[in-house]
Amino acid sequence: MMRFYYQSHCYLPLRRDAIAGLLFLLLFPLLLPCFFTPVTHASPSTFSEWNVPKPRHLSLLRSALGRESSNREQSDLWAPLADQGWRTFLESVNSTSALPQKSEGYLQVFLDGGLNQQRMGICDAVAIAKILNATLVIPHLEVNPVWQDSSSFMDIFDVDHFINVLKDDVSIVKELPDEFSWSTREYYATAIRATRIKRAPVHASVNWYLEYVLPVLQSYGIAAISPFSHRLSFDNLPSEIQQLRCKVNFKALVFVPHIRALGDAIVHRLRYPPGESEAVSSNYLRETTDQYDKQKPQKFVMLHLRFDKDMAAHSACDFGGGKAEKLALAKYRQTIWGGRVLNSQFTDEELRSQGRCPLTPEEIGLLLAALGFDNSTRLYLASHKVYGGEARISTLHELFPLMESKKSLASSEERVRIKGKASLLAAVDYYVGMHGDIFVSASPGNMHNALVGHRTFENKKTIRPNMALLGQLFLNKNIKWSEFRQAVAEGHRNRLGQLRLRKPKQSLYTYPAPDCMCRA
């Protein structure tokens, strides 16, 4: 036991030192609280977020802020895509004959991932039901472990429209009959079940389903596939199955009415912005728009700013936050993915030159400025929580002061049904993205792939950033604005929505031609 003899003069200096040390320990957390903030998944207060990010390309930013664009340049930017000579064909793939009278059984699928990954899974599920002559049960959407959204299929998509559009192709039911009511998510989570197919390979062939799933259907009258994501090949499938997948994606999957109504309101406010004295009305969705009929509609760019903490951590790139940020992101990688996503073996320079780093808000702003968009451009920002917060977006807002979002364009009353629900928030953004004059995504991902494919299908303009080129340009700290702008223009000349034919192993949801489109 440690003892202090206060009466002895030889212990007085030690006593004073001890008191001073104790005071320091008590005051240090108050003076520098950031060092005592726990880094957890639940808390956004990581090291990087109290260290306000500074512009990384200051010289380019200053030049971009003083940019000017000619009328001809603006006209070329906003001009719609020319007819590329392709047409869509999505008639019933089974129009020559009725559906078989007897189904082989009920097919259930449990879809993981975010909204757009689930969307592709729904299309695959319909195709597999067709292949197996099964009755598809409306797919079950798993709760995403990151976004924690429990929205169901019927919360997001118009289920009656879905069933009606596909009624001549596949038999679909909203729920199982009573005799199979035991087949639930909870049932399959508690033990190994004969009716569950757990190890469906990624991009499985038609023959695999006929060999392994069809016998289960025939034996038990039901089969449940879980997990179900990217479980059907894009190659070596009958043309009618490929066309059916596109029919589901582009015709059958329609958002519920309140999502479409909110999306229409946002698009209308972008096209016909209210005057400075006009506040956003909470009952806008019930108002008429006759007052705007004589106004000329404005154009807007829909920007998907995919720069959340997951994206930043997964990329293993350096975003200018120093050692503290690197440490925070490394810890986050370990917390969320438990070692499945490792620290990169490449340097930041190598990752950027390979185009493997997501563009920051500052960098996507410089790209748009270099392409010719000026400070009068209306920008709709589709994004979940941006890593670094408002400080990270500030440079983008400087470049494009007319930047809007769901929060700025819709009242809290209008947003109450989608608040805190990542899938519904993404659905609104998807809807607005399909109505934008131009769509651009800051980095590839499921939202990017889904909208690129859908807009290609409808021949709408889309900018696909040349990630490798931009990575190399941003690494050059001495590059002049004129050089940067010329390189960007040349590097994106053929990346503005020009149709690209699908190659083997590529997704037909991103490249719908030639499987679901034909030359005129």
Side-chain angles (χ1 to χ4, degrees):
M1 174 181 284
M2 185 178 292
R3 296 179 179 177
F4 293 94
Y5 298 91
Y6 297 113
Q7 292 86 353
S8 175
H9 69 277
C10 63
Y11 287 95
L12 288 177
L14 294 176
R15 181 186 177 196
R16 283 194 292 267
D17 290 344
I19 293 173
L22 181 61
L23 286 172
F24 177 79
L25 289 173
L26 290 171
L27 292 174
F28 186 62
L30 299 175
L31 296 172
L32 292 172
C34 49
F35 284 98
F36 292 82
T37 302
V39 182
T40 65
H41 172 53
S43 171
S45 302
T46 59
F47 290 108
S48 60
E49 284 149 339
W50 56 261
N51 184 19
V52 178
K54 298 178 181 178
R56 302 191 73 190
H57 312 288
L58 195 54
S59 177
L60 290 177
L61 180 60
R62 286 169 177 163
S63 299
L65 287 170
R67 70 197 184 280
E68 292 183 2
S69 301
S70 66
N71 290 335
R72 179 175 180 177
E73 189 175 38
Q74 288 291 308
S75 178
D76 291 342
L77 272 175
W78 294 107
L81 281 176
D83 188 331
Q84 300 183 68
W86 287 79
R87 297 292 181 269
T88 63
F89 56 94
L90 294 181
E91 299 304 318
S92 172
V93 300
N94 201 35
S95 57
T96 57
S97 61
L99 284 174
Q101 290 185 350
K102 185 177 184 302
S103 165
E104 296 289 355
Y106 292 96
L107 178 67
Q108 286 180 293
V109 295
F110 298 87
L111 302 176
D112 49 12
L115 172 69
N116 293 291
Q117 186 173 331
Q118 290 172 336
R119 183 187 187 102
M120 297 170 195
I122 293 166
C123 301
D124 287 350
V126 172
I128 292 168
K130 179 72 175 179
I131 291 168
L132 299 175
N133 183 31
T135 297
L136 179 67
V137 183
I138 290 296
H140 173 87
L141 308 186
E142 300 277 29
V143 177
N144 187 289
V146 175
W147 308 124
Q148 293 295 314
D149 187 353
S150 58
S151 298
S152 69
F153 183 104
M154 297 183 192
D155 292 329
I156 304 169
F157 300 106
D158 187 329
V159 66
D160 292 324
H161 176 86
F162 179 76
I163 294 173
N164 185 58
V165 168
L166 299 171
K167 68 180 185 298
D168 296 325
D169 301 305
V170 178
S171 176
I172 304 173
V173 295
K174 295 180 182 179
E175 56 187 24
L176 288 166
D178 290 342
E179 61 185 296
F180 292 111
S181 60
W182 49 264
S183 185
T184 63
R185 184 69 182 87
E186 293 71 27
Y187 173 75
Y188 293 110
T190 55
I192 296 173
R193 309 293 185 182
T195 52
R196 178 187 176 186
I197 291 86
K198 186 178 181 180
R199 302 193 181 278
V202 174
H203 298 156
S205 67
V206 169
N207 288 338
W208 187 91
Y209 283 97
L210 293 174
E211 183 176 352
Y212 292 100
V213 181
L214 183 58
V216 176
L217 280 171
Q218 293 171 334
S219 297
Y220 299 97
I222 189 169
I225 308 177
S226 175
F228 189 83
S229 177
H230 309 295
R231 299 301 191 222
L232 181 61
S233 172
F234 288 115
D235 302 316
N236 303 316
L237 268 74
S239 59
E240 67 171 19
I241 297 299
Q242 299 289 62
Q243 292 168 29
L244 177 58
R245 294 164 95 176
C246 285
K247 181 177 181 179
V248 180
N249 195 30
F250 303 134
K251 288 188 68 177
L253 285 176
V254 172
F255 296 123
V256 291
H258 77 87
I259 292 291
R260 303 200 305 270
L262 180 56
D264 284 334
I266 289 172
V267 170
H268 196 275
R269 289 167 189 172
L270 286 162
R271 296 252 181 254
Y272 304 96
E276 294 182 5
S277 60
E278 298 179 58
V280 174
S281 171
S282 61
N283 63 347
Y284 179 89
L285 302 183
R286 298 185 294 275
E287 294 176 358
T288 63
T289 57
D290 293 343
Q291 59 180 312
Y292 298 111
D293 285 346
K294 296 181 180 179
Q295 290 185 26
K296 183 179 179 181
Q298 297 190 21
K299 298 181 182 296
F300 71 93
V301 176
M302 194 277 210
L303 168 61
H304 181 223
L305 187 57
R306 191 168 183 243
F307 197 75
D308 52 42
K309 189 188 292 185
D310 280 14
M311 182 59 142
H314 199 281
S315 71
C317 298
D318 180 8
F319 299 106
K323 292 182 179 179
E325 182 178 77
K326 291 180 181 179
L327 177 63
L329 292 178
K331 184 175 178 65
Y332 186 80
R333 273 193 291 277
Q334 183 61 34
T335 302
I336 300 300
W337 295 294
R340 296 189 301 276
V341 177
L342 303 175
N343 297 335
S344 176
Q345 301 302 308
F346 297 99
T347 65
D348 183 67
E349 288 76 15
E350 289 171 329
L351 290 171
R352 290 190 179 280
S353 62
Q354 295 168 18
R356 294 169 63 179
C357 292
L359 297 177
T360 65
E362 175 189 5
E363 289 167 346
I364 195 69
L366 290 171
L367 164 65
L368 293 174
L371 288 172
F373 295 101
D374 60 21
N375 58 10
S376 68
T377 299
R378 297 192 67 77
L379 208 63
Y380 175 78
L381 188 63
S383 168
H384 198 66
K385 185 174 182 180
V386 175
Y387 180 60
E390 292 299 322
R392 186 80 73 176
I393 308 176
S394 60
T395 50
L396 177 63
H397 199 267
E398 278 188 79
L399 290 166
F400 297 97
L402 300 183
M403 187 170 70
E404 304 283 4
S405 66
K406 291 182 289 293
K407 191 172 182 179
S408 67
L409 288 171
S411 67
S412 57
E413 290 86 352
E414 289 172 315
R415 291 182 282 110
V416 69
R417 296 180 71 177
I418 65 171
K419 185 178 180 180
K421 299 178 180 178
S423 293
L424 299 186
L425 291 165
V428 172
D429 285 338
Y430 190 104
Y431 187 88
V432 175
M434 281 306 300
H435 289 77
D437 299 280
I438 297 171
F439 168 70
V440 59
S441 180
S443 57
N446 288 321
M447 171 75 92
H448 166 93
N449 294 340
L451 274 170
V452 165
H454 205 155
R455 289 176 65 90
T456 296
F457 191 75
E458 297 191 6
N459 198 46
K460 293 185 175 182
K461 204 165 195 176
T462 303
I463 298 172
R464 295 182 304 106
N466 187 331
M467 303 295 286
L469 169 68
L470 292 167
Q472 294 164 19
L473 292 177
F474 286 128
L475 283 172
N476 183 356
K477 300 303 179 183
N478 297 316
I479 193 170
K480 303 296 183 185
W481 175 249
S482 57
E483 300 172 64
F484 178 78
R485 189 171 184 179
Q486 182 178 355
V488 166
E490 292 177 357
H492 291 81
R493 202 176 304 281
N494 296 313
R495 303 178 70 89
L496 303 178
Q498 292 85 350
L499 186 143
R500 296 187 171 200
L501 298 181
R502 188 178 73 84
K503 298 177 182 178
K505 296 185 179 181
Q506 287 184 329
S507 168
L508 60 77
Y509 304 123
T510 307
Y511 303 96
D515 299 276
C516 303
M517 303 175 74
C518 59
R519 286 196 175 276

